[in-house]
Amino acid sequence: MDAKLQVEVLPVTAFQQNCSLVWDAVSGRGALVDAGGEPARLIEAAQARGVTLEKLLVTHGHLDHIGVVAELAEKLGLPIEGPHEDDAFWIELLPEVARQYGFPPARSFTPQRWLQHGDQVTVGGLCFDVIHCPGHTPGHVVFHHRPSRLAIVGDVLFQGSIGRTDFPRGSHADLIRSIRDRLFPLGDDITFVPGHGPLSTFGAERRSNPFVGDAAVGS
């Protein structure tokens, strides 16, 4: 991994969603990716590492990934970047979905910047490529730090599994294409942080994932 990029994975809420604290070791400036809950803990983690938060990044609009984004943005005066605008309807539904799942009250928000495939986002002196990967949700994006061979993939891909596609505007076919055509070509050696569960590599999933591996899709 590029020594400039530092990552701490912070599972939050009963869903154990992997919020990632990412920061530039040179400047000490960082971001939270998918701030789904436990805002005080996330702030404390950044403070413990000496990280100055400069923005909030979002992979997609599901409750467990965005539950405290609006709260942190307001409290810390931070801009929000992501996801792709096709997930705007999920963000608008956030207050209702939080009630349905028994989460603390959550507010919807409008990002300062919607992201498109091929965009880049910066964190301190770091640069992440934005990869639009629809399927789990239509506006899901992945953040890829090329020098570190690391990707933060949200709920697109997991160790031994893939994201659900039975939510509104989900698509199994789109998800498989996103993984096979946009993620796996980045290289077998790419380590990824999924939205839930342990880290893995694209190579390991291409070889053995029962849903999207080579054997599963006949490659």
Side-chain angles (χ1 to χ4, degrees):
M1 183 179 290
D2 182 348
K4 292 180 181 178
L5 172 63
Q6 299 293 309
V7 180
E8 183 173 358
V9 179
L10 302 162
V12 293
T13 81
F15 286 74
Q16 288 294 282
Q17 188 276 127
N18 289 334
C19 174
S20 294
L21 172 64
V22 300
W23 72 96
D24 173 4
V26 176
S27 69
R29 302 189 69 81
L32 289 167
V33 185
D34 288 356
E38 303 180 44
R41 178 171 164 237
L42 299 181
I43 293 171
E44 288 167 5
Q47 291 173 340
R49 298 294 189 182
V51 175
T52 301
L53 292 172
E54 64 178 18
K55 64 183 61 174
L56 300 165
L57 301 177
V58 178
T59 64
H60 67 293
H62 280 166
L63 163 68
D64 52 327
H65 292 254
I66 63 169
V68 296
V69 168
E71 178 180 341
L72 287 174
E74 181 178 285
K75 182 180 181 67
L76 303 177
L78 300 177
I80 303 164
E81 297 186 14
H84 184 285
E85 196 167 8
D86 283 352
D87 266 18
F89 77 102
W90 274 119
I91 298 173
E92 291 167 6
L93 287 170
L94 178 60
E96 177 185 337
V97 175
R99 285 192 297 271
Q100 290 175 351
Y101 281 87
F103 267 54
R107 288 184 286 123
S108 58
F109 56 88
T110 300
Q112 276 66 39
R113 182 186 177 199
W114 296 107
L115 297 175
Q116 304 288 330
H117 183 67
D119 283 349
Q120 293 184 322
V121 297
T122 59
V123 177
L126 306 171
C127 184
F128 293 81
D129 295 323
V130 175
I131 305 167
H132 182 210
C133 290
H136 177 66
T137 68
H140 201 303
V141 297
V142 163
F143 299 105
H144 175 218
H145 188 247
R146 193 179 303 269
S148 297
R149 314 298 289 161
L150 181 88
I152 299 174
V153 305
D155 285 355
V156 172
L157 180 67
F158 305 104
Q159 182 187 74
S161 190
I162 59 173
R164 289 175 58 177
T165 56
D166 56 341
F167 294 114
R169 295 184 62 190
S171 168
H172 181 79
D174 285 351
L175 183 63
I176 299 302
R177 277 194 297 272
S178 291
I179 296 168
R180 298 284 309 182
D181 297 349
R182 291 191 165 175
L183 297 187
F184 284 176
L186 296 175
D188 284 355
D189 63 328
I190 300 289
T191 296
F192 69 90
V193 181
H196 306 265
L199 279 60
S200 184
T201 66
F202 289 160
E205 300 312 309
R206 186 179 57 76
R207 288 188 295 271
S208 63
N209 190 292
F211 300 95
V212 76
D214 290 348
V217 299
S219 295

